[in-house]
Amino acid sequence: MIKDEPIYITRPLLPDLDDIYAKLKEVWDSKWLTNSGPQQSKLELELKTFLKVENLSLFNNGTSALLLGLRALNLTGEVITTPFTFPATVQALDWNNLTPVFCDIDPTTLTLDAAKIEPLITEKTSAILGVHTFGNPCDVEQIQLIANKYKLKVIYDGAHTFGTNFNNKPVSEYGDMTMFSFHATKLFNTIEGGALTFRDNSLVEKLNLLKNFGIANPEEVVLSGLNAKLNEIQAVIGLEVLKLVETERKKRHEIKRAYESYLKDVPGINVLTKLEDECSSYQYFVIQIDEELYGKSRDWLHEKLKEYNVFTRKYFYPLCSDFEWYQHLESARKENLPIANKTVTQVLAMPYYGELHLESVEKICKVIRDSI
């Protein structure tokens, strides 16, 4: 066995408890637990600096952020998106009464295949919702050209791209809006949480209303909203975790290099997360298993590693286009999504976090190599 303790796919980045206690005392002394308190305001400012953005709005989770971001843009009809994503991406469309139109993915980046978007545009299309998959950015320039041509909004699910740059610019520079997730599994976390970055300054007030029941003042409710505010305890965690992010990225860089070294000569094993340094969020380390070359399937390797107390994830599985409530959609038909349907049977996210020992990486890779 690799070790007695199980090796999970990730572990949350946690600050020192003494630092958290000190911050919590500030919250206790203030008696201000939620509703845009000082900790939330400070975190918002620090994240604007870290992410190099002008406009940023915090939410209690990434799903709420995306759901209300779509609402703020006044979208209607159809939105072109990817089937290869976490359910929350398309569920945010559902809750806005928007119809997803699934577009196949690029076989290299596993993001929306920009070459296949234009034929899916109809008079009902209002936006393109792309996902920066495993930290690989979408073809943002081509997508924007298409959006400009048809006057469409562009929204990105950037749950995997915290701190990522593309062409020497923050990934959130592209499109009209980007959602970030601050879930406990993410590089940067507030236990649960999320944010929107956006270009349109007029959305600041609208998003503040949407995440606070639409309440403009104690005696006036101006629109229908939700309760989606980040609270002071979440903000405290975020302020302390943010201090650890750069060190964590460096650790993950070394772990990534170790995986690549041990797996580089294994037939049928392809590393999907190749980006490094400022171009990478170091969120996941993901491999793709070609069963014909490797001799074993992704599912077989997933189960085999469990025998050694190593837990990987078939991420993203299943495809969103396979959900029962999308079966009537023409765009969800398997023959229209050949790359996505192939990829979803091949991809495996490996254990990846700063506390993972390099010796454990070597042993995990030995299981993969010896299974040929």
Side-chain angles (χ1 to χ4, degrees), residues 102-116:
F102 294 111
C103 177
D104 208 3
I105 60 175
D106 180 274
T108 302
T109 64
L110 308 189
T111 62
L112 274 179
D113 188 338
K116 295 178 180 176

PDB file of all heavy atoms in Angstrom, residues 102-116:
ATOM      1  N   PHE A 102     -25.720  23.273 -26.348  1.00  0.00           N
ATOM      2  CA  PHE A 102     -24.422  22.657 -26.091  1.00  0.00           C
ATOM      3  C   PHE A 102     -23.557  22.647 -27.346  1.00  0.00           C
ATOM      4  O   PHE A 102     -23.992  22.252 -28.429  1.00  0.00           O
ATOM      5  CB  PHE A 102     -24.607  21.235 -25.569  1.00  0.00           C
ATOM      6  CG  PHE A 102     -25.267  21.180 -24.224  1.00  0.00           C
ATOM      7  CD1 PHE A 102     -26.556  20.679 -24.073  1.00  0.00           C
ATOM      8  CD2 PHE A 102     -24.602  21.645 -23.094  1.00  0.00           C
ATOM      9  CE1 PHE A 102     -27.170  20.634 -22.838  1.00  0.00           C
ATOM     10  CE2 PHE A 102     -25.216  21.609 -21.850  1.00  0.00           C
ATOM     11  CZ  PHE A 102     -26.500  21.098 -21.718  1.00  0.00           C
ATOM     12  N   CYS A 103     -22.332  23.094 -27.157  1.00  0.00           N
ATOM     13  CA  CYS A 103     -21.334  23.136 -28.230  1.00  0.00           C
ATOM     14  C   CYS A 103     -20.212  22.174 -27.860  1.00  0.00           C
ATOM     15  O   CYS A 103     -19.819  22.089 -26.691  1.00  0.00           O
ATOM     16  CB  CYS A 103     -20.796  24.556 -28.368  1.00  0.00           C
ATOM     17  SG  CYS A 103     -19.487  24.762 -29.596  1.00  0.00           S
ATOM     18  N   ASP A 104     -19.685  21.460 -28.834  1.00  0.00           N
ATOM     19  CA  ASP A 104     -18.614  20.499 -28.549  1.00  0.00           C
ATOM     20  C   ASP A 104     -17.337  21.224 -28.120  1.00  0.00           C
ATOM     21  O   ASP A 104     -17.207  22.445 -28.275  1.00  0.00           O
ATOM     22  CB  ASP A 104     -18.356  19.622 -29.776  1.00  0.00           C
ATOM     23  CG  ASP A 104     -17.811  18.244 -29.398  1.00  0.00           C
ATOM     24  OD1 ASP A 104     -17.699  17.952 -28.189  1.00  0.00           O
ATOM     25  OD2 ASP A 104     -17.513  17.446 -30.310  1.00  0.00           O
ATOM     26  N   ILE A 105     -16.399  20.465 -27.593  1.00  0.00           N
ATOM     27  CA  ILE A 105     -15.189  21.038 -27.003  1.00  0.00           C
ATOM     28  C   ILE A 105     -13.956  20.778 -27.860  1.00  0.00           C
ATOM     29  O   ILE A 105     -13.918  19.862 -28.688  1.00  0.00           O
ATOM     30  CB  ILE A 105     -14.967  20.497 -25.580  1.00  0.00           C
ATOM     31  CG1 ILE A 105     -14.807  18.968 -25.585  1.00  0.00           C
ATOM     32  CG2 ILE A 105     -16.117  20.924 -24.673  1.00  0.00           C
ATOM     33  CD1 ILE A 105     -14.471  18.377 -24.227  1.00  0.00           C
ATOM     34  N   ASP A 106     -12.952  21.596 -27.639  1.00  0.00           N
ATOM     35  CA  ASP A 106     -11.666  21.441 -28.306  1.00  0.00           C
ATOM     36  C   ASP A 106     -10.949  20.236 -27.697  1.00  0.00           C
ATOM     37  O   ASP A 106     -10.881  20.102 -26.474  1.00  0.00           O
ATOM     38  CB  ASP A 106     -10.835  22.709 -28.097  1.00  0.00           C
ATOM     39  CG  ASP A 106      -9.475  22.627 -28.754  1.00  0.00           C
ATOM     40  OD1 ASP A 106      -8.543  22.096 -28.098  1.00  0.00           O
ATOM     41  OD2 ASP A 106      -9.342  23.088 -29.894  1.00  0.00           O
ATOM     42  N   PRO A 107     -10.371  19.349 -28.505  1.00  0.00           N
ATOM     43  CA  PRO A 107      -9.766  18.128 -27.961  1.00  0.00           C
ATOM     44  C   PRO A 107      -8.483  18.369 -27.157  1.00  0.00           C
ATOM     45  O   PRO A 107      -8.053  17.489 -26.411  1.00  0.00           O
ATOM     46  CB  PRO A 107      -9.473  17.296 -29.208  1.00  0.00           C
ATOM     47  CG  PRO A 107      -9.397  18.269 -30.327  1.00  0.00           C
ATOM     48  CD  PRO A 107     -10.358  19.372 -29.974  1.00  0.00           C
ATOM     49  N   THR A 108      -7.880  19.550 -27.304  1.00  0.00           N
ATOM     50  CA  THR A 108      -6.627  19.841 -26.594  1.00  0.00           C
ATOM     51  C   THR A 108      -6.867  20.574 -25.283  1.00  0.00           C
ATOM     52  O   THR A 108      -6.365  20.174 -24.227  1.00  0.00           O
ATOM     53  CB  THR A 108      -5.685  20.680 -27.488  1.00  0.00           C
ATOM     54  OG1 THR A 108      -5.422  19.967 -28.698  1.00  0.00           O
ATOM     55  CG2 THR A 108      -4.370  20.948 -26.768  1.00  0.00           C
ATOM     56  N   THR A 109      -7.652  21.641 -25.332  1.00  0.00           N
ATOM     57  CA  THR A 109      -7.888  22.441 -24.121  1.00  0.00           C
ATOM     58  C   THR A 109      -9.124  21.990 -23.345  1.00  0.00           C
ATOM     59  O   THR A 109      -9.284  22.337 -22.173  1.00  0.00           O
ATOM     60  CB  THR A 109      -8.080  23.923 -24.481  1.00  0.00           C
ATOM     61  OG1 THR A 109      -9.268  24.059 -25.288  1.00  0.00           O
ATOM     62  CG2 THR A 109      -6.874  24.456 -25.251  1.00  0.00           C
ATOM     63  N   LEU A 110     -10.023  21.254 -23.995  1.00  0.00           N
ATOM     64  CA  LEU A 110     -11.296  20.789 -23.443  1.00  0.00           C
ATOM     65  C   LEU A 110     -12.246  21.951 -23.114  1.00  0.00           C
ATOM     66  O   LEU A 110     -13.206  21.781 -22.373  1.00  0.00           O
ATOM     67  CB  LEU A 110     -11.086  19.917 -22.198  1.00  0.00           C
ATOM     68  CG  LEU A 110     -10.105  18.754 -22.348  1.00  0.00           C
ATOM     69  CD1 LEU A 110     -10.160  17.854 -21.126  1.00  0.00           C
ATOM     70  CD2 LEU A 110     -10.353  17.955 -23.609  1.00  0.00           C
ATOM     71  N   THR A 111     -11.980  23.116 -23.692  1.00  0.00           N
ATOM     72  CA  THR A 111     -12.876  24.256 -23.588  1.00  0.00           C
ATOM     73  C   THR A 111     -13.757  24.309 -24.833  1.00  0.00           C
ATOM     74  O   THR A 111     -13.576  23.533 -25.767  1.00  0.00           O
ATOM     75  CB  THR A 111     -12.087  25.568 -23.462  1.00  0.00           C
ATOM     76  OG1 THR A 111     -11.300  25.743 -24.654  1.00  0.00           O
ATOM     77  CG2 THR A 111     -11.158  25.542 -22.252  1.00  0.00           C
ATOM     78  N   LEU A 112     -14.702  25.250 -24.845  1.00  0.00           N
ATOM     79  CA  LEU A 112     -15.565  25.418 -26.013  1.00  0.00           C
ATOM     80  C   LEU A 112     -14.744  25.473 -27.297  1.00  0.00           C
ATOM     81  O   LEU A 112     -13.755  26.208 -27.385  1.00  0.00           O
ATOM     82  CB  LEU A 112     -16.348  26.731 -25.899  1.00  0.00           C
ATOM     83  CG  LEU A 112     -17.661  26.751 -25.131  1.00  0.00           C
ATOM     84  CD1 LEU A 112     -18.222  28.172 -25.137  1.00  0.00           C
ATOM     85  CD2 LEU A 112     -18.664  25.790 -25.728  1.00  0.00           C
ATOM     86  N   ASP A 113     -15.157  24.705 -28.299  1.00  0.00           N
ATOM     87  CA  ASP A 113     -14.506  24.749 -29.606  1.00  0.00           C
ATOM     88  C   ASP A 113     -15.066  25.957 -30.355  1.00  0.00           C
ATOM     89  O   ASP A 113     -16.184  25.927 -30.873  1.00  0.00           O
ATOM     90  CB  ASP A 113     -14.777  23.461 -30.373  1.00  0.00           C
ATOM     91  CG  ASP A 113     -13.968  23.372 -31.661  1.00  0.00           C
ATOM     92  OD1 ASP A 113     -13.539  24.431 -32.162  1.00  0.00           O
ATOM     93  OD2 ASP A 113     -13.790  22.255 -32.178  1.00  0.00           O
ATOM     94  N   ALA A 114     -14.287  27.021 -30.411  1.00  0.00           N
ATOM     95  CA  ALA A 114     -14.771  28.270 -31.003  1.00  0.00           C
ATOM     96  C   ALA A 114     -15.195  28.086 -32.461  1.00  0.00           C
ATOM     97  O   ALA A 114     -16.094  28.786 -32.943  1.00  0.00           O
ATOM     98  CB  ALA A 114     -13.693  29.346 -30.910  1.00  0.00           C
ATOM     99  N   ALA A 115     -14.574  27.128 -33.156  1.00  0.00           N
ATOM    100  CA  ALA A 115     -14.909  26.895 -34.561  1.00  0.00           C
ATOM    101  C   ALA A 115     -16.303  26.314 -34.734  1.00  0.00           C
ATOM    102  O   ALA A 115     -16.849  26.315 -35.846  1.00  0.00           O
ATOM    103  CB  ALA A 115     -13.872  25.969 -35.192  1.00  0.00           C
ATOM    104  N   LYS A 116     -16.893  25.826 -33.657  1.00  0.00           N
ATOM    105  CA  LYS A 116     -18.214  25.188 -33.751  1.00  0.00           C
ATOM    106  C   LYS A 116     -19.333  26.040 -33.152  1.00  0.00           C
ATOM    107  O   LYS A 116     -20.484  25.600 -33.097  1.00  0.00           O
ATOM    108  CB  LYS A 116     -18.164  23.821 -33.059  1.00  0.00           C
ATOM    109  CG  LYS A 116     -17.227  22.845 -33.754  1.00  0.00           C
ATOM    110  CD  LYS A 116     -17.157  21.515 -33.030  1.00  0.00           C
ATOM    111  CE  LYS A 116     -16.214  20.553 -33.759  1.00  0.00           C
ATOM    112  NZ  LYS A 116     -16.040  19.280 -33.029  1.00  0.00           N
TER     113      LYS A 116
END
